[in-house]
Amino acid sequence: MKRAIALLALMATTAATAACSGSGGGAAPGAAGDDQVVLRWSTWGTADDIKLYDGFTRDFEKRHPNIKLKLESVSDYADYHPKLFTQLTSKTAPDVFFVGDDNIGKFVSSGVLTPLEGLLAGPDSKSRPEDFFEGIYGGAKKDGRIYGVPNDTNPEVLWFDKKALKEAGIGENPADLYAAGQWTMDKYLDMNARLKAAGKAGSIFWNWYGSTYSVINGFGGKVWDGGRFVATTDANARKALQTLAKGYLDKTFLSADVLPESNSASTRFLKHDAGFYAGGRWVIDSLRKGGELDDYDIVPFPSPDGKPMPGAVAASYMAINKDAKNAKAAFTFLTEFVSKEGQLLRLKGGGAVPSIKGAEQVVLDGYPQHAQTFLDVRDTGFANYPDEVAVPGLTAAINDELLKVWTGKVPFDRGMTELQKTVDGMTG
Amino acid sequence: MAAIAKAPARPARAGRGVRTRDGWWAGLFLAPQVAFLLVFLVVPLGYAVYLSLVQWDGFGPKTFVGLGNFTAQLTDADFLRAVWNTAKLALITVPVGLVLAVLIAAGLAGIKGSGFYRVLYFMPVVTSSVAVALIWQVILADDDNGVLNSTLRRLGLDGPDWLGDPGWVIVAIAIVTIWSSLGLNVVIFLAGLQTIPPQIVEAARIDGASSARIFRSITLPMLSPTIFFSTVVAVISSFQAFDQIYVLVNPAHNEGARTIVYQVYKLGFKDFQFGMSSAAALILLVLTLLVTLVQFAAQKRFVHYDS
């Protein structure tokens, strides 16, 4: 009898506990409750960046009342991929997630992403494979299969300050020179020298492949060739790196990475202390906060002969977890997120450039004057080299080695030897 | 005779029974802790040893490489730099932190209303390490907002770029570490001071000993077990320093701030080299054990357990 009462009590407790957990209203991640699917997705970004997704989320959930989006964000890009990696290995990763262009190769080769080419070409797709520019698939495409869709892009261009150029006695407009086919590396370096002579910095670069490899391209050099890193041995590439190293040391160029926060790259550019600032469409946000918008415009990186050449395009990819609990809902979200309508909704007012064809009007909103340059660079540009992004940590290691040279901690020749050694060591 | 022989056997059997029952109870109470240790310490440690012998990127197959990961790490310039940075941090924080804590504790022990100061000194210990790091970022910044350098500039001095200069960053980290751990050491030393019998101090005073002499000849020797304990703990925590440094600086951009634990984190979660990462973690474990063993060997000469 006592045993029976105890059993009943246990059953009652269990039922009560279950009822309590049910009354919390929160279905387990990814589980369906009342036919509603909770779709987990993740990205990186500050609180302000994350707010940009609110409009899309509201719109999406209104159109798909059976799908509830749950965003799990990480504020710092550097911390995002380690967390995602840990989640993937422990099978707790979100259904859909962003992957940076420096990590996509690793995730593709690890087989943790759902191949998307069939889904993208299928009847439920709002974003077909051919809607995206080939060059920006980068490491997300392997052996004809698509593992990630570029959610948006940021083509690297040179913002120039008309006022600073004028103060340095430079009458020519870089955008006009580009239009006339005269925007050469020689011309650009000459402008930098004149800016320096006028007491200003020539150019400010962030220490990343977008800037460094664009300058190498501008010298006609090669970074990767036949699966081998040749930037330290290719004559033109080495000359480009040497020019950069010399420029950093004599302050013709400034590395944004090491500028103090109170006198950051944006501040220097807004104060007309520099002629050029290499960046993407995100620079608009800084200029809007404190600059005279009309003082600034954009031009692609110069080429050896003035003819247009491919520029670097920063990209990130949206991918679906191979173990996604709600694969169908995950694809619905992904395809709408990267679709023309989705990008138009997300990218209004600045930040990034659409990765999909047909959403160009979001960029051509009147600012900057040569905003079409963003689209030209995107359409012909390249994401980081697949050989490089396939090796986790390689891009960061290259940047680390180069920063030592830029800051003068290591002499140029030794820096190149160490850079090659690092790359060889990591690529095997 | 037989009855006499049986008589002592009864308590012996009863004793065994008690011991057996006690043993069962002890086992029962210890079981959760043993299970916890097995699941969260022994098994992961065993797995780390296994991983240190293979090449593995976290997803694909594992390739046995023997001691290759250890030799690679022990000859890797980045890892050796991390070991040196960690050693520098310990060499600054342990002596400076402990000397300060002993002096403050000795000072507090003799004043009225020391509770207020104890709370004051202990506050950083209960503050989140991330919050501490963020506050010190503002204090140590080398720009117009940097409290320390702005103050130094007003005094006509030019402070270093504490968080940006690889040569100074360990000093900056040491300052923050000492500040945030000082309170705990002060409380430990205050507890240690309370174990010193006041009559010994009183007797020394009657004999005419000065305060400095009392401190040197009575307080310090009698506090030596506490100092030894705090030294061991401080060295181990310096070797394991990570979270505060990660937020305070950005070790990715400043090689002077890369400690062994950062290297373990980077190799594993940024470079996806789990074999290398595990090897680095085990080297850290061995280093910690060695230093602790040396400390235990040295304590025989410096630590006085008799009153």
Side-chain angles (χ1 to χ4, degrees), chain A residues 76 78-79 81-82 85-86 88-89 103 106-107 110 112 257 260-263 392-393 400 403-404 409 426, chain B residues 56-59 78 81 142-145 164 166 246 250 252-253 255 258 265-266 268-274:
Chain A
D76 192 352
D79 295 329
H81 292 95
F85 176 82
T86 313
L88 283 165
T89 51
N103 278 276
K106 168 67 196 164
F107 286 96
S110 299
V112 292
D257 301 71
E261 216 166 285
S262 61
N263 208 8
D400 283 351
L403 195 61
K404 288 181 206 165
K409 284 174 195 150
M426 292 180 77
Chain B
W56 186 47
D57 66 1
F59 291 114
D78 288 341
R81 190 185 300 115
D142 185 31
D143 54 34
D144 297 340
N145 300 321
Y246 193 76
N250 179 353
H253 290 161
E255 61 191 32
R258 292 178 199 168
Y265 168 73
K266 178 181 174 290
F269 295 100
K270 284 185 181 288
D271 300 347
F272 305 105
Q273 297 183 58
F274 283 88

Side-chain angles (χ1 to χ4, degrees), chain B:
Chain B
M1 190 65 195
I4 294 167
K6 274 181 185 173
R10 249 177 285 159
R13 270 205 303 271
R16 260 205 307 275
V18 169
R19 278 203 295 274
T20 309
R21 272 202 306 277
D22 286 351
W24 276 106
W25 279 111
L28 190 68
F29 284 120
L30 285 172
Q33 285 85 343
V34 171
F36 187 85
L37 279 176
L38 278 174
V39 173
F40 293 107
L41 188 73
V42 179
V43 173
L45 185 62
Y47 192 58
V49 172
Y50 164 67
L51 281 184
S52 70
L53 303 174
V54 300
Q55 200 173 49
W56 186 47
D57 66 1
F59 291 114
K62 301 177 183 82
T63 313
F64 184 76
V65 291
L67 296 175
N69 289 328
F70 290 93
T71 49
Q73 282 306 299
L74 290 170
T75 53
D76 179 62
D78 288 341
F79 183 75
L80 296 177
R81 190 185 300 115
V83 172
W84 173 230
N85 289 340
T86 310
K88 274 197 291 187
L89 183 64
L91 286 170
I92 301 172
T93 54
V94 176
V96 176
L98 294 185
V99 167
L100 275 175
V102 169
L103 293 176
I104 291 168
L108 286 179
I111 63 164
K112 281 186 180 175
S114 64
F116 170 73
Y117 292 101
R118 287 183 205 196
V119 171
L120 211 61
Y121 280 114
F122 201 72
M123 274 171 71
V125 180
V126 294
T127 309
S128 146
S129 58
V130 173
V132 167
L134 290 173
I135 290 164
W136 278 93
Q137 248 181 0
V138 178
I139 295 172
L140 296 169
D142 185 31
D143 54 34
D144 297 340
N145 300 321
V147 177
L148 182 58
N149 277 1
S150 300
T151 311
L152 289 174
R153 265 195 289 277
R154 281 193 200 100
L155 298 170
L157 300 167
D158 197 16
D161 181 359
W162 297 96
L163 302 176
D165 186 337
W168 278 97
V169 71
I170 278 291
V171 179
I173 293 166
I175 291 170
V176 180
T177 308
I178 290 168
W179 180 82
S180 53
S181 63
L182 191 63
L184 184 64
N185 288 327
V186 167
V187 167
I188 290 171
F189 286 131
L190 275 168
L193 286 170
Q194 283 168 2
T195 64
I196 300 173
Q199 56 269 33
I200 299 178
V201 178
E202 202 53 41
R205 273 195 211 289
I206 292 167
D207 288 345
S210 65
S211 295
R213 180 65 195 267
I214 291 171
F215 182 76
R216 196 173 68 244
S217 301
I218 297 174
T219 310
L220 272 184
M222 296 194 76
L223 203 57
S224 57
T226 314
I227 294 173
F228 170 65
F229 166 77
S230 297
T231 310
V232 171
V233 172
V235 168
I236 293 173
S237 67
S238 307
F239 276 30
Q240 294 177 339
F242 175 70
D243 53 345
Q244 208 157 274
I245 300 174
Y246 193 76
V247 180
L248 184 68
V249 193
N250 179 353
H253 290 161
N254 191 331
E255 61 191 32
R258 292 178 199 168
T259 55
I260 303 178
V261 181
Y262 172 75
Q263 204 63 16
V264 171
Y265 168 73
K266 178 181 174 290
L267 285 166
F269 295 100
K270 284 185 181 288
D271 300 347
F272 305 105
Q273 297 183 58
F274 283 88
M276 291 281 190
S277 176
S278 300
L282 288 173
I283 293 170
L284 171 65
L285 175 69
V286 171
L287 277 176
T288 310
L289 280 174
L290 282 176
V291 173
T292 309
L293 281 175
V294 169
Q295 286 175 293
F296 268 90
Q299 59 132 355
K300 289 171 191 160
R301 295 181 60 189
F302 304 107
V303 180
H304 305 274
Y305 288 102
D306 300 327
S307 55

